Amino acid sequence: FALPEVFNTHPGGQEHLKTAEKSDCPGLLFLAYHIGLDMDGAIGNALKARGLTIPETGTFYDELDAIVRKIKEEHKGQRYIFHAWCLVITALLLPSFVWLMVSPGLLPCLSVSLLFELYFLNIFHTRHHKGGNIYDSAFLNSALNPVYHFIDSTWGYYPPAWKWNHHVRHHMHTNEDDTDPDLPATYPLIRMFQEQEKLWYHKFQTLYWPMLLPFSVARYPISNLFEHGGPPVFFAAWLALMFVLPAALHGVEGVLWCMLVLGLTGVNVTYKFAVSHAHADLVRSPEHEKKKGIKELTTDDFMRDQIEESIDWGGYWSTLIFGGITLQIEHHVAPALDPPLLALLAPEFRKLCDRHKVRYTAEPTFFHAVLKFHLRLWMSG
């Protein structure tokens, strides 16, 4: 699959094109991010005008695509529900942070931590999967994107680095222990796969895993500066807002409350990511992916791998609240879709997987998923 050299009017923005151009799987990225769209109409015509063709699909992909189109057509209002939820999170985040700075304590600490979690699981995650814009309104995007960029780059994962590591290394190479930067990259601290050498302390990993999580979010500003090439101004802003200002206003107590915010957010966000691709019953990715390489995978093989290397937990309300992290099967099939639609896709995807004998792993609640995650840690240790 060849990418257009120039496509200034690409609806998904230029960053997605740049990411795909550098990747080893531009055709699969194209199909994943355009599933459920009019590839026989406007998209196909745009490619033809540039002398390009749509990558070859398959029967399984086409059936998934038909389901996505059907659900999107029948539930158009879900995107506006999600947009409203994002605006609520945006409106509450700043006053909650001011509350923490002015009067630090348990309630403002819990409020800011929860809102940071909701922000990164909904706004950050979805915005960058959709090419940088969440809303249909150009006014809202132009007004809020600078705010979002500041939050992303100050407290979160520096977006240019995240796009490569998440879109390509995670979504295209899910659970590959030498590529995926999520759970596989925690080795040697955490052992998840049989191919990884077992060390003596791995027998205790299900016990010490929670102790690692408070540092998982706090490390992002440091990694942004020293590993990902993030501008120093955002690191300085993080130091000022989380340490210097609280210390100036409230001394050590203020700093401790801000550290608790970082720790709680790290635990909550990282647990939700971790359980999504590690489960006691999760099928290991087929060996043909490693033997043939992703460039030689058929589209249907790739889609099967995405489903069999992910899990679902919860339902509509948990997905609306916490974003696509709850339904990773549907999210990995259609990564640019608004999260509430994923919950409506899930029953149809499960039926399709049953017909095609594709393993579909789901748990009723987050707590069930956590139990199976710790069982996986125990089995792997």
PDB file of all heavy atoms in Angstrom, residues 12-34:
ATOM      1  N   GLY A  12      -8.166  12.941   8.589  1.00  0.00           N
ATOM      2  CA  GLY A  12      -7.531  12.473   9.818  1.00  0.00           C
ATOM      3  C   GLY A  12      -6.269  13.223  10.189  1.00  0.00           C
ATOM      4  O   GLY A  12      -5.585  12.857  11.144  1.00  0.00           O
ATOM      5  N   GLY A  13      -5.970  14.292   9.454  1.00  0.00           N
ATOM      6  CA  GLY A  13      -4.794  15.092   9.763  1.00  0.00           C
ATOM      7  C   GLY A  13      -3.523  14.524   9.147  1.00  0.00           C
ATOM      8  O   GLY A  13      -3.511  13.427   8.587  1.00  0.00           O
ATOM      9  N   GLN A  14      -2.476  15.290   9.246  1.00  0.00           N
ATOM     10  CA  GLN A  14      -1.202  14.907   8.638  1.00  0.00           C
ATOM     11  C   GLN A  14      -0.390  13.960   9.513  1.00  0.00           C
ATOM     12  O   GLN A  14       0.436  13.195   9.013  1.00  0.00           O
ATOM     13  CB  GLN A  14      -0.385  16.167   8.348  1.00  0.00           C
ATOM     14  CG  GLN A  14      -1.075  17.137   7.400  1.00  0.00           C
ATOM     15  CD  GLN A  14      -1.487  16.489   6.093  1.00  0.00           C
ATOM     16  OE1 GLN A  14      -0.662  15.975   5.354  1.00  0.00           O
ATOM     17  NE2 GLN A  14      -2.793  16.507   5.795  1.00  0.00           N
ATOM     18  N   GLU A  15      -0.611  14.000  10.829  1.00  0.00           N
ATOM     19  CA  GLU A  15       0.206  13.187  11.730  1.00  0.00           C
ATOM     20  C   GLU A  15      -0.001  11.694  11.483  1.00  0.00           C
ATOM     21  O   GLU A  15       0.943  10.909  11.533  1.00  0.00           O
ATOM     22  CB  GLU A  15      -0.102  13.531  13.190  1.00  0.00           C
ATOM     23  CG  GLU A  15       0.370  14.910  13.609  1.00  0.00           C
ATOM     24  CD  GLU A  15       1.860  15.100  13.415  1.00  0.00           C
ATOM     25  OE1 GLU A  15       2.621  14.170  13.711  1.00  0.00           O
ATOM     26  OE2 GLU A  15       2.261  16.185  12.946  1.00  0.00           O
ATOM     27  N   HIS A  16      -1.248  11.289  11.221  1.00  0.00           N
ATOM     28  CA  HIS A  16      -1.509   9.876  10.932  1.00  0.00           C
ATOM     29  C   HIS A  16      -0.775   9.438   9.669  1.00  0.00           C
ATOM     30  O   HIS A  16      -0.243   8.327   9.595  1.00  0.00           O
ATOM     31  CB  HIS A  16      -3.015   9.640  10.760  1.00  0.00           C
ATOM     32  CG  HIS A  16      -3.736   9.408  12.057  1.00  0.00           C
ATOM     33  ND1 HIS A  16      -3.114   9.480  13.280  1.00  0.00           N
ATOM     34  CD2 HIS A  16      -5.034   9.069  12.325  1.00  0.00           C
ATOM     35  CE1 HIS A  16      -3.990   9.232  14.242  1.00  0.00           C
ATOM     36  NE2 HIS A  16      -5.160   8.976  13.684  1.00  0.00           N
ATOM     37  N   LEU A  17      -0.759  10.314   8.666  1.00  0.00           N
ATOM     38  CA  LEU A  17      -0.065   9.981   7.420  1.00  0.00           C
ATOM     39  C   LEU A  17       1.436   9.818   7.669  1.00  0.00           C
ATOM     40  O   LEU A  17       2.071   8.898   7.132  1.00  0.00           O
ATOM     41  CB  LEU A  17      -0.309  11.062   6.371  1.00  0.00           C
ATOM     42  CG  LEU A  17      -1.735  11.169   5.822  1.00  0.00           C
ATOM     43  CD1 LEU A  17      -1.840  12.352   4.880  1.00  0.00           C
ATOM     44  CD2 LEU A  17      -2.148   9.886   5.113  1.00  0.00           C
ATOM     45  N   LYS A  18       2.009  10.710   8.467  1.00  0.00           N
ATOM     46  CA  LYS A  18       3.439  10.631   8.768  1.00  0.00           C
ATOM     47  C   LYS A  18       3.764   9.360   9.538  1.00  0.00           C
ATOM     48  O   LYS A  18       4.779   8.699   9.288  1.00  0.00           O
ATOM     49  CB  LYS A  18       3.875  11.857   9.571  1.00  0.00           C
ATOM     50  CG  LYS A  18       3.801  13.164   8.800  1.00  0.00           C
ATOM     51  CD  LYS A  18       4.153  14.343   9.696  1.00  0.00           C
ATOM     52  CE  LYS A  18       3.989  15.670   8.959  1.00  0.00           C
ATOM     53  NZ  LYS A  18       4.268  16.824   9.851  1.00  0.00           N
ATOM     54  N   THR A  19       2.907   9.018  10.485  1.00  0.00           N
ATOM     55  CA  THR A  19       3.124   7.795  11.269  1.00  0.00           C
ATOM     56  C   THR A  19       3.071   6.569  10.369  1.00  0.00           C
ATOM     57  O   THR A  19       3.928   5.682  10.456  1.00  0.00           O
ATOM     58  CB  THR A  19       2.067   7.680  12.383  1.00  0.00           C
ATOM     59  OG1 THR A  19       2.157   8.807  13.246  1.00  0.00           O
ATOM     60  CG2 THR A  19       2.274   6.410  13.202  1.00  0.00           C
ATOM     61  N   ALA A  20       2.052   6.505   9.508  1.00  0.00           N
ATOM     62  CA  ALA A  20       1.903   5.353   8.612  1.00  0.00           C
ATOM     63  C   ALA A  20       3.073   5.259   7.643  1.00  0.00           C
ATOM     64  O   ALA A  20       3.561   4.163   7.337  1.00  0.00           O
ATOM     65  CB  ALA A  20       0.590   5.457   7.845  1.00  0.00           C
ATOM     66  N   GLU A  21       3.549   6.404   7.168  1.00  0.00           N
ATOM     67  CA  GLU A  21       4.647   6.419   6.205  1.00  0.00           C
ATOM     68  C   GLU A  21       5.912   5.795   6.789  1.00  0.00           C
ATOM     69  O   GLU A  21       6.661   5.106   6.099  1.00  0.00           O
ATOM     70  CB  GLU A  21       4.924   7.852   5.763  1.00  0.00           C
ATOM     71  CG  GLU A  21       5.968   7.972   4.668  1.00  0.00           C
ATOM     72  CD  GLU A  21       6.187   9.405   4.238  1.00  0.00           C
ATOM     73  OE1 GLU A  21       5.809  10.320   5.009  1.00  0.00           O
ATOM     74  OE2 GLU A  21       6.731   9.619   3.150  1.00  0.00           O
ATOM     75  N   LYS A  22       6.142   6.013   8.083  1.00  0.00           N
ATOM     76  CA  LYS A  22       7.345   5.485   8.737  1.00  0.00           C
ATOM     77  C   LYS A  22       7.175   4.042   9.203  1.00  0.00           C
ATOM     78  O   LYS A  22       8.141   3.402   9.608  1.00  0.00           O
ATOM     79  CB  LYS A  22       7.711   6.361   9.942  1.00  0.00           C
ATOM     80  CG  LYS A  22       8.136   7.769   9.591  1.00  0.00           C
ATOM     81  CD  LYS A  22       8.658   8.515  10.807  1.00  0.00           C
ATOM     82  CE  LYS A  22       7.585   8.719  11.853  1.00  0.00           C
ATOM     83  NZ  LYS A  22       8.053   9.502  13.018  1.00  0.00           N
ATOM     84  N   SER A  23       5.937   3.522   9.167  1.00  0.00           N
ATOM     85  CA  SER A  23       5.666   2.215   9.742  1.00  0.00           C
ATOM     86  C   SER A  23       5.993   1.090   8.768  1.00  0.00           C
ATOM     87  O   SER A  23       6.260   1.316   7.591  1.00  0.00           O
ATOM     88  CB  SER A  23       4.194   2.113  10.148  1.00  0.00           C
ATOM     89  OG  SER A  23       3.379   1.883   9.006  1.00  0.00           O
ATOM     90  N   ASP A  24       5.943  -0.151   9.294  1.00  0.00           N
ATOM     91  CA  ASP A  24       6.151  -1.334   8.456  1.00  0.00           C
ATOM     92  C   ASP A  24       4.834  -1.940   7.990  1.00  0.00           C
ATOM     93  O   ASP A  24       4.811  -3.027   7.438  1.00  0.00           O
ATOM     94  CB  ASP A  24       6.959  -2.386   9.226  1.00  0.00           C
ATOM     95  CG  ASP A  24       6.299  -2.786  10.542  1.00  0.00           C
ATOM     96  OD1 ASP A  24       5.283  -2.151  10.913  1.00  0.00           O
ATOM     97  OD2 ASP A  24       6.792  -3.710  11.204  1.00  0.00           O
ATOM     98  N   CYS A  25       3.719  -1.210   8.241  1.00  0.00           N
ATOM     99  CA  CYS A  25       2.411  -1.786   7.911  1.00  0.00           C
ATOM    100  C   CYS A  25       1.404  -0.704   7.544  1.00  0.00           C
ATOM    101  O   CYS A  25       0.326  -0.649   8.144  1.00  0.00           O
ATOM    102  CB  CYS A  25       1.893  -2.605   9.097  1.00  0.00           C
ATOM    103  SG  CYS A  25       2.018  -1.713  10.672  1.00  0.00           S
ATOM    104  N   PRO A  26       1.702   0.176   6.583  1.00  0.00           N
ATOM    105  CA  PRO A  26       0.769   1.263   6.255  1.00  0.00           C
ATOM    106  C   PRO A  26      -0.594   0.777   5.773  1.00  0.00           C
ATOM    107  O   PRO A  26      -1.615   1.409   6.036  1.00  0.00           O
ATOM    108  CB  PRO A  26       1.504   2.054   5.169  1.00  0.00           C
ATOM    109  CG  PRO A  26       2.486   1.091   4.584  1.00  0.00           C
ATOM    110  CD  PRO A  26       2.898   0.209   5.723  1.00  0.00           C
ATOM    111  N   GLY A  27      -0.626  -0.361   5.063  1.00  0.00           N
ATOM    112  CA  GLY A  27      -1.901  -0.872   4.579  1.00  0.00           C
ATOM    113  C   GLY A  27      -2.815  -1.302   5.710  1.00  0.00           C
ATOM    114  O   GLY A  27      -4.023  -1.016   5.701  1.00  0.00           O
ATOM    115  N   LEU A  28      -2.264  -1.995   6.711  1.00  0.00           N
ATOM    116  CA  LEU A  28      -3.075  -2.424   7.851  1.00  0.00           C
ATOM    117  C   LEU A  28      -3.519  -1.225   8.684  1.00  0.00           C
ATOM    118  O   LEU A  28      -4.645  -1.192   9.191  1.00  0.00           O
ATOM    119  CB  LEU A  28      -2.286  -3.408   8.713  1.00  0.00           C
ATOM    120  CG  LEU A  28      -2.022  -4.768   8.073  1.00  0.00           C
ATOM    121  CD1 LEU A  28      -1.128  -5.626   8.976  1.00  0.00           C
ATOM    122  CD2 LEU A  28      -3.329  -5.501   7.794  1.00  0.00           C
ATOM    123  N   LEU A  29      -2.634  -0.239   8.834  1.00  0.00           N
ATOM    124  CA  LEU A  29      -3.028   0.985   9.541  1.00  0.00           C
ATOM    125  C   LEU A  29      -4.192   1.659   8.817  1.00  0.00           C
ATOM    126  O   LEU A  29      -5.160   2.106   9.444  1.00  0.00           O
ATOM    127  CB  LEU A  29      -1.843   1.941   9.632  1.00  0.00           C
ATOM    128  CG  LEU A  29      -0.868   1.719  10.796  1.00  0.00           C
ATOM    129  CD1 LEU A  29       0.401   2.524  10.583  1.00  0.00           C
ATOM    130  CD2 LEU A  29      -1.512   2.103  12.122  1.00  0.00           C
ATOM    131  N   PHE A  30      -4.099   1.731   7.496  1.00  0.00           N
ATOM    132  CA  PHE A  30      -5.171   2.347   6.707  1.00  0.00           C
ATOM    133  C   PHE A  30      -6.492   1.624   6.939  1.00  0.00           C
ATOM    134  O   PHE A  30      -7.528   2.261   7.194  1.00  0.00           O
ATOM    135  CB  PHE A  30      -4.811   2.318   5.218  1.00  0.00           C
ATOM    136  CG  PHE A  30      -5.916   2.805   4.332  1.00  0.00           C
ATOM    137  CD1 PHE A  30      -6.026   4.142   4.013  1.00  0.00           C
ATOM    138  CD2 PHE A  30      -6.869   1.912   3.828  1.00  0.00           C
ATOM    139  CE1 PHE A  30      -7.068   4.601   3.195  1.00  0.00           C
ATOM    140  CE2 PHE A  30      -7.906   2.366   3.016  1.00  0.00           C
ATOM    141  CZ  PHE A  30      -8.003   3.710   2.704  1.00  0.00           C
ATOM    142  N   LEU A  31      -6.484   0.310   6.857  1.00  0.00           N
ATOM    143  CA  LEU A  31      -7.729  -0.451   6.992  1.00  0.00           C
ATOM    144  C   LEU A  31      -8.297  -0.360   8.405  1.00  0.00           C
ATOM    145  O   LEU A  31      -9.517  -0.267   8.589  1.00  0.00           O
ATOM    146  CB  LEU A  31      -7.488  -1.914   6.609  1.00  0.00           C
ATOM    147  CG  LEU A  31      -7.207  -2.157   5.123  1.00  0.00           C
ATOM    148  CD1 LEU A  31      -6.827  -3.612   4.886  1.00  0.00           C
ATOM    149  CD2 LEU A  31      -8.412  -1.768   4.265  1.00  0.00           C
ATOM    150  N   ALA A  32      -7.433  -0.383   9.425  1.00  0.00           N
ATOM    151  CA  ALA A  32      -7.914  -0.295  10.804  1.00  0.00           C
ATOM    152  C   ALA A  32      -8.548   1.068  11.076  1.00  0.00           C
ATOM    153  O   ALA A  32      -9.609   1.163  11.700  1.00  0.00           O
ATOM    154  CB  ALA A  32      -6.767  -0.551  11.784  1.00  0.00           C
ATOM    155  N   TYR A  33      -7.919   2.123  10.587  1.00  0.00           N
ATOM    156  CA  TYR A  33      -8.402   3.466  10.903  1.00  0.00           C
ATOM    157  C   TYR A  33      -9.528   3.934   9.979  1.00  0.00           C
ATOM    158  O   TYR A  33     -10.146   4.968  10.233  1.00  0.00           O
ATOM    159  CB  TYR A  33      -7.242   4.468  10.883  1.00  0.00           C
ATOM    160  CG  TYR A  33      -6.469   4.432  12.180  1.00  0.00           C
ATOM    161  CD1 TYR A  33      -5.462   3.488  12.390  1.00  0.00           C
ATOM    162  CD2 TYR A  33      -6.775   5.292  13.216  1.00  0.00           C
ATOM    163  CE1 TYR A  33      -4.777   3.423  13.587  1.00  0.00           C
ATOM    164  CE2 TYR A  33      -6.096   5.244  14.418  1.00  0.00           C
ATOM    165  CZ  TYR A  33      -5.101   4.303  14.596  1.00  0.00           C
ATOM    166  OH  TYR A  33      -4.434   4.243  15.802  1.00  0.00           O
ATOM    167  N   HIS A  34      -9.804   3.174   8.925  1.00  0.00           N
ATOM    168  CA  HIS A  34     -10.899   3.539   8.030  1.00  0.00           C
ATOM    169  C   HIS A  34     -12.034   2.524   8.045  1.00  0.00           C
ATOM    170  O   HIS A  34     -12.956   2.626   7.237  1.00  0.00           O
ATOM    171  CB  HIS A  34     -10.384   3.707   6.592  1.00  0.00           C
ATOM    172  CG  HIS A  34      -9.488   4.879   6.417  1.00  0.00           C
ATOM    173  ND1 HIS A  34      -8.136   4.834   6.674  1.00  0.00           N
ATOM    174  CD2 HIS A  34      -9.737   6.155   6.012  1.00  0.00           C
ATOM    175  CE1 HIS A  34      -7.589   6.020   6.433  1.00  0.00           C
ATOM    176  NE2 HIS A  34      -8.538   6.841   6.031  1.00  0.00           N
TER     177      HIS A  34
END
